Amino acid sequence: MWLVTTFLLMAITQTHADYASLQAVLSQNGLQKVSHWMTDWLQKELSTITLPEVSGSVDIFLGSVYYVLHDMTVNRCDLPEPSVAYSEGTGVSLQVNGLSVVISGHWNTKFGLIHDSGWFDLAIFGTSLETLLGFQKTEDYLSISTLTCLANVGGVKIHFHGGGSFIFQPFVDEFSGEITDMIRERICPAFQQEIENVNRVLAASETIKLDPFVYLNVSLTDPPVVFQNGFELNVKGEFYSARCPSEPPFSPNHFDLQWQADYMMSVGISEFCVNSAAFAYFKSGILNVTITDGMIPKGSPIHLNTSQFGSLIPQLPKKYPDMEMEIVLYASDNPKISFNQTVINLDVSAAAKFYAIDTHTGLIPLFRLDMTEAIERIGRLVLSTIVLPRLNAQLKDGLPLPSVKGFSLTNSVMTVKNGFLILATDINHSADILQSDKL
Ligand SMILES: *[C@@H]1O[C@H](CO)[C@@H](O)[C@H](O)[C@H]1NC(C)=O
Ligand SMILES: *[C@@H]1O[C@H](CO)[C@@H](O)[C@H](O)[C@H]1NC(C)=O
Ligand SMILES: *[C@@H]1O[C@H](CO)[C@@H](O)[C@H](O)[C@H]1NC(C)=O
Ligand SMILES: *[C@@H]1O[C@H](CO)[C@@H](O)[C@H](O)[C@H]1NC(C)=O
Ligand SMILES: *[C@@H]1O[C@H](CO)[C@@H](O)[C@H](O)[C@H]1NC(C)=O
């Protein structure tokens, strides 16, 4: 019996917790663009990196010559656009051909008591890299593995200048094949190291802090799916109040994202995701507005003051004669939002607290009014006639992404489905992101 119970419990908790509330697909189009940005960024990165010192010793007949190559800088770097393609069920294949780098630096040698120094130029050309990257879910996040990596170097040219260069230049020319091999052997490990760095960033980004009040849990619910022309991530997509994170009294709903290959990215946002945001903001206690008399136009026949409210509540001006008033309008329960093809419904239970403003002692609470019906009607009206058209107009002009600086959404369209929203969009970024030290 306990076995049956355990199974039933497992089945219930699994179906309850595991639906993705955010689904995102990067199309082939999107992949191309991302790879283009990475190339631009890498090209700039490579020209500013500081290369580590290289030292060693070479045996000549009379003993060992110690050498140090130092203060090396990249003078030029030509990084051709890589070709990228999805590898169905696996990840992404990437190929770069014809990469060349020109480096200059200084050399020092020590042979017994003899010290010598000068400078050098090093050109590495015809470099290629071919790799297959696998995407998987490790614990709750995306990780990338290097499944295959093949590097080749067309050749190197080194010129030594100054000091006794003329003595060892012919010697170096003879060994250029070995130097080429040494560089080639280091490319894939260096590339893998970069992928490990990316994995560390991915592993550390389980949540996105939206503002001081709420954060979004973006841990993966399922392994990533790689199609022939797209890459899909299924994300938990639940918002939490930063101050008092707790599970909402409703469960995730299942939905299937019909994504669009002609946009760079498609994102499906479930009702649950949006409602968890509303719940998190409600829990944070910030869903309120204060209405003061100053906000009411001078010519209005109604003003927030006790004399005027006397016609409704005669005791008020007797107890608090001729005082200004203030209203705090707040959500008294978590707002509930639902999507249904043509409309977005918003149910807000709201209440209002009325205060008299005493210039000496501050606010004096007067009374509370529940105004659920009226607000609910207002909410529905505002959303369908004002918010959605405005949102789509704004999306057309582009929408900055606050958490990913420099990137913005362009050419976006939001559509309402039963139980979820779809945002189909292109992504644009301003050139200055390339100047920043992190992506
Ligand atoms: C995010 O959700 C995952 C899966 O439910 C959970 O394991 C993890 O602890 C959550 N992280 C935070 C910071 O809420
Ligand atoms: C109203 O919201 C603000 C934040 O915008 C918050 O600091 C304040 O405590 C809230 N007041 C009430 C009465 O909920
Ligand atoms: C309240 O309203 C009355 C009538 O409109 C006006 O005469 C009075 O100055 C107002 N008092 C305050 C404190 O605003
Ligand atoms: C969507 O709205 C229509 C018309 O108001 C209604 O007939 C239908 O039942 C609603 N569908 C859902 C899933 O709520
Ligand atoms: C993309 O961003 C750049 C720079 O911010 C801007 O000049 C360009 O118009 C944008 N393109 C689109 C399609 O929005």
PDB file of all heavy atoms in Angstrom, residues 386-403:
ATOM      1  N   ILE A 386      -6.242  49.742 -24.166  1.00  0.00           N
ATOM      2  CA  ILE A 386      -5.074  50.627 -24.081  1.00  0.00           C
ATOM      3  C   ILE A 386      -3.760  49.861 -24.012  1.00  0.00           C
ATOM      4  O   ILE A 386      -2.868  50.078 -24.815  1.00  0.00           O
ATOM      5  CB  ILE A 386      -5.195  51.580 -22.863  1.00  0.00           C
ATOM      6  CG1 ILE A 386      -6.468  52.421 -22.994  1.00  0.00           C
ATOM      7  CG2 ILE A 386      -3.961  52.469 -22.754  1.00  0.00           C
ATOM      8  CD1 ILE A 386      -6.823  53.192 -21.762  1.00  0.00           C
ATOM      9  N   VAL A 387      -3.675  48.920 -23.083  1.00  0.00           N
ATOM     10  CA  VAL A 387      -2.372  48.305 -22.816  1.00  0.00           C
ATOM     11  C   VAL A 387      -1.833  47.502 -23.997  1.00  0.00           C
ATOM     12  O   VAL A 387      -0.711  47.713 -24.441  1.00  0.00           O
ATOM     13  CB  VAL A 387      -2.405  47.447 -21.534  1.00  0.00           C
ATOM     14  CG1 VAL A 387      -1.065  46.765 -21.320  1.00  0.00           C
ATOM     15  CG2 VAL A 387      -2.743  48.318 -20.337  1.00  0.00           C
ATOM     16  N   LEU A 388      -2.640  46.585 -24.521  1.00  0.00           N
ATOM     17  CA  LEU A 388      -2.122  45.706 -25.576  1.00  0.00           C
ATOM     18  C   LEU A 388      -1.733  46.466 -26.855  1.00  0.00           C
ATOM     19  O   LEU A 388      -0.631  46.264 -27.365  1.00  0.00           O
ATOM     20  CB  LEU A 388      -3.108  44.581 -25.875  1.00  0.00           C
ATOM     21  CG  LEU A 388      -2.485  43.378 -26.578  1.00  0.00           C
ATOM     22  CD1 LEU A 388      -1.376  42.758 -25.744  1.00  0.00           C
ATOM     23  CD2 LEU A 388      -3.527  42.344 -26.908  1.00  0.00           C
ATOM     24  N   PRO A 389      -2.593  47.369 -27.366  1.00  0.00           N
ATOM     25  CA  PRO A 389      -2.167  48.132 -28.545  1.00  0.00           C
ATOM     26  C   PRO A 389      -0.912  48.956 -28.278  1.00  0.00           C
ATOM     27  O   PRO A 389      -0.019  49.032 -29.120  1.00  0.00           O
ATOM     28  CB  PRO A 389      -3.356  49.052 -28.823  1.00  0.00           C
ATOM     29  CG  PRO A 389      -4.510  48.411 -28.149  1.00  0.00           C
ATOM     30  CD  PRO A 389      -3.968  47.673 -26.983  1.00  0.00           C
ATOM     31  N   ARG A 390      -0.828  49.538 -27.070  1.00  0.00           N
ATOM     32  CA  ARG A 390       0.357  50.337 -26.729  1.00  0.00           C
ATOM     33  C   ARG A 390       1.594  49.463 -26.652  1.00  0.00           C
ATOM     34  O   ARG A 390       2.662  49.844 -27.105  1.00  0.00           O
ATOM     35  CB  ARG A 390       0.165  51.013 -25.369  1.00  0.00           C
ATOM     36  CG  ARG A 390      -0.616  52.260 -25.489  1.00  0.00           C
ATOM     37  CD  ARG A 390      -0.204  53.220 -24.401  1.00  0.00           C
ATOM     38  NE  ARG A 390      -1.121  54.334 -24.416  1.00  0.00           N
ATOM     39  CZ  ARG A 390      -1.215  55.225 -23.480  1.00  0.00           C
ATOM     40  NH1 ARG A 390      -0.435  55.144 -22.430  1.00  0.00           N
ATOM     41  NH2 ARG A 390      -2.055  56.202 -23.580  1.00  0.00           N
ATOM     42  N   LEU A 391       1.401  48.279 -26.068  1.00  0.00           N
ATOM     43  CA  LEU A 391       2.513  47.350 -25.920  1.00  0.00           C
ATOM     44  C   LEU A 391       3.050  46.971 -27.293  1.00  0.00           C
ATOM     45  O   LEU A 391       4.253  47.013 -27.532  1.00  0.00           O
ATOM     46  CB  LEU A 391       2.030  46.103 -25.174  1.00  0.00           C
ATOM     47  CG  LEU A 391       3.109  45.103 -24.763  1.00  0.00           C
ATOM     48  CD1 LEU A 391       4.036  45.728 -23.734  1.00  0.00           C
ATOM     49  CD2 LEU A 391       2.486  43.848 -24.196  1.00  0.00           C
ATOM     50  N   ASN A 392       2.160  46.642 -28.208  1.00  0.00           N
ATOM     51  CA  ASN A 392       2.604  46.252 -29.543  1.00  0.00           C
ATOM     52  C   ASN A 392       3.225  47.425 -30.304  1.00  0.00           C
ATOM     53  O   ASN A 392       4.169  47.236 -31.068  1.00  0.00           O
ATOM     54  CB  ASN A 392       1.478  45.605 -30.330  1.00  0.00           C
ATOM     55  CG  ASN A 392       1.456  44.097 -30.115  1.00  0.00           C
ATOM     56  OD1 ASN A 392       2.518  43.476 -29.989  1.00  0.00           O
ATOM     57  ND2 ASN A 392       0.278  43.514 -30.050  1.00  0.00           N
ATOM     58  N   ALA A 393       2.719  48.638 -30.055  1.00  0.00           N
ATOM     59  CA  ALA A 393       3.320  49.816 -30.686  1.00  0.00           C
ATOM     60  C   ALA A 393       4.732  50.021 -30.154  1.00  0.00           C
ATOM     61  O   ALA A 393       5.667  50.289 -30.900  1.00  0.00           O
ATOM     62  CB  ALA A 393       2.469  51.044 -30.405  1.00  0.00           C
ATOM     63  N   GLN A 394       4.870  49.845 -28.840  1.00  0.00           N
ATOM     64  CA  GLN A 394       6.183  49.986 -28.202  1.00  0.00           C
ATOM     65  C   GLN A 394       7.130  48.912 -28.722  1.00  0.00           C
ATOM     66  O   GLN A 394       8.295  49.168 -29.022  1.00  0.00           O
ATOM     67  CB  GLN A 394       6.004  49.882 -26.683  1.00  0.00           C
ATOM     68  CG  GLN A 394       7.292  49.733 -25.892  1.00  0.00           C
ATOM     69  CD  GLN A 394       8.050  51.034 -25.777  1.00  0.00           C
ATOM     70  OE1 GLN A 394       7.494  52.053 -25.381  1.00  0.00           O
ATOM     71  NE2 GLN A 394       9.320  51.019 -26.143  1.00  0.00           N
ATOM     72  N   LEU A 395       6.613  47.678 -28.863  1.00  0.00           N
ATOM     73  CA  LEU A 395       7.438  46.566 -29.327  1.00  0.00           C
ATOM     74  C   LEU A 395       7.945  46.817 -30.745  1.00  0.00           C
ATOM     75  O   LEU A 395       9.054  46.442 -31.101  1.00  0.00           O
ATOM     76  CB  LEU A 395       6.640  45.258 -29.290  1.00  0.00           C
ATOM     77  CG  LEU A 395       6.421  44.660 -27.900  1.00  0.00           C
ATOM     78  CD1 LEU A 395       5.477  43.484 -27.968  1.00  0.00           C
ATOM     79  CD2 LEU A 395       7.736  44.237 -27.270  1.00  0.00           C
ATOM     80  N   LYS A 396       7.126  47.469 -31.536  1.00  0.00           N
ATOM     81  CA  LYS A 396       7.505  47.764 -32.910  1.00  0.00           C
ATOM     82  C   LYS A 396       8.724  48.699 -32.935  1.00  0.00           C
ATOM     83  O   LYS A 396       9.626  48.553 -33.738  1.00  0.00           O
ATOM     84  CB  LYS A 396       6.326  48.424 -33.636  1.00  0.00           C
ATOM     85  CG  LYS A 396       6.189  47.963 -35.073  1.00  0.00           C
ATOM     86  CD  LYS A 396       4.972  48.586 -35.713  1.00  0.00           C
ATOM     87  CE  LYS A 396       4.132  47.551 -36.431  1.00  0.00           C
ATOM     88  NZ  LYS A 396       2.754  48.001 -36.596  1.00  0.00           N
ATOM     89  N   ASP A 397       8.725  49.664 -31.996  1.00  0.00           N
ATOM     90  CA  ASP A 397       9.830  50.630 -31.916  1.00  0.00           C
ATOM     91  C   ASP A 397      11.073  50.041 -31.273  1.00  0.00           C
ATOM     92  O   ASP A 397      12.146  50.616 -31.344  1.00  0.00           O
ATOM     93  CB  ASP A 397       9.420  51.842 -31.066  1.00  0.00           C
ATOM     94  CG  ASP A 397       8.406  52.696 -31.796  1.00  0.00           C
ATOM     95  OD1 ASP A 397       8.244  52.477 -33.008  1.00  0.00           O
ATOM     96  OD2 ASP A 397       7.790  53.553 -31.152  1.00  0.00           O
ATOM     97  N   GLY A 398      10.921  48.922 -30.620  1.00  0.00           N
ATOM     98  CA  GLY A 398      12.062  48.329 -29.939  1.00  0.00           C
ATOM     99  C   GLY A 398      11.913  48.472 -28.443  1.00  0.00           C
ATOM    100  O   GLY A 398      11.364  49.454 -27.961  1.00  0.00           O
ATOM    101  N   LEU A 399      12.384  47.467 -27.728  1.00  0.00           N
ATOM    102  CA  LEU A 399      12.243  47.433 -26.285  1.00  0.00           C
ATOM    103  C   LEU A 399      13.603  47.108 -25.685  1.00  0.00           C
ATOM    104  O   LEU A 399      14.179  46.081 -25.992  1.00  0.00           O
ATOM    105  CB  LEU A 399      11.228  46.339 -25.922  1.00  0.00           C
ATOM    106  CG  LEU A 399      10.762  46.263 -24.488  1.00  0.00           C
ATOM    107  CD1 LEU A 399       9.817  47.405 -24.181  1.00  0.00           C
ATOM    108  CD2 LEU A 399      10.043  44.941 -24.246  1.00  0.00           C
ATOM    109  N   PRO A 400      14.144  48.017 -24.864  1.00  0.00           N
ATOM    110  CA  PRO A 400      15.442  47.698 -24.266  1.00  0.00           C
ATOM    111  C   PRO A 400      15.315  46.583 -23.247  1.00  0.00           C
ATOM    112  O   PRO A 400      14.304  46.480 -22.555  1.00  0.00           O
ATOM    113  CB  PRO A 400      15.849  49.012 -23.589  1.00  0.00           C
ATOM    114  CG  PRO A 400      14.563  49.724 -23.334  1.00  0.00           C
ATOM    115  CD  PRO A 400      13.614  49.307 -24.428  1.00  0.00           C
ATOM    116  N   LEU A 401      16.307  45.697 -23.190  1.00  0.00           N
ATOM    117  CA  LEU A 401      16.302  44.626 -22.201  1.00  0.00           C
ATOM    118  C   LEU A 401      17.139  45.086 -21.012  1.00  0.00           C
ATOM    119  O   LEU A 401      18.347  45.200 -21.124  1.00  0.00           O
ATOM    120  CB  LEU A 401      16.908  43.351 -22.799  1.00  0.00           C
ATOM    121  CG  LEU A 401      16.073  42.663 -23.866  1.00  0.00           C
ATOM    122  CD1 LEU A 401      16.871  41.540 -24.515  1.00  0.00           C
ATOM    123  CD2 LEU A 401      14.798  42.125 -23.272  1.00  0.00           C
ATOM    124  N   PRO A 402      16.485  45.348 -19.882  1.00  0.00           N
ATOM    125  CA  PRO A 402      17.209  45.941 -18.770  1.00  0.00           C
ATOM    126  C   PRO A 402      18.322  45.053 -18.227  1.00  0.00           C
ATOM    127  O   PRO A 402      19.358  45.535 -17.814  1.00  0.00           O
ATOM    128  CB  PRO A 402      16.127  46.178 -17.708  1.00  0.00           C
ATOM    129  CG  PRO A 402      14.998  45.288 -18.101  1.00  0.00           C
ATOM    130  CD  PRO A 402      15.068  45.128 -19.588  1.00  0.00           C
ATOM    131  N   SER A 403      18.115  43.721 -18.271  1.00  0.00           N
ATOM    132  CA  SER A 403      19.101  42.862 -17.615  1.00  0.00           C
ATOM    133  C   SER A 403      20.256  42.475 -18.542  1.00  0.00           C
ATOM    134  O   SER A 403      21.256  41.959 -18.096  1.00  0.00           O
ATOM    135  CB  SER A 403      18.422  41.610 -17.058  1.00  0.00           C
ATOM    136  OG  SER A 403      17.746  40.949 -18.091  1.00  0.00           O
TER     137      SER A 403
END
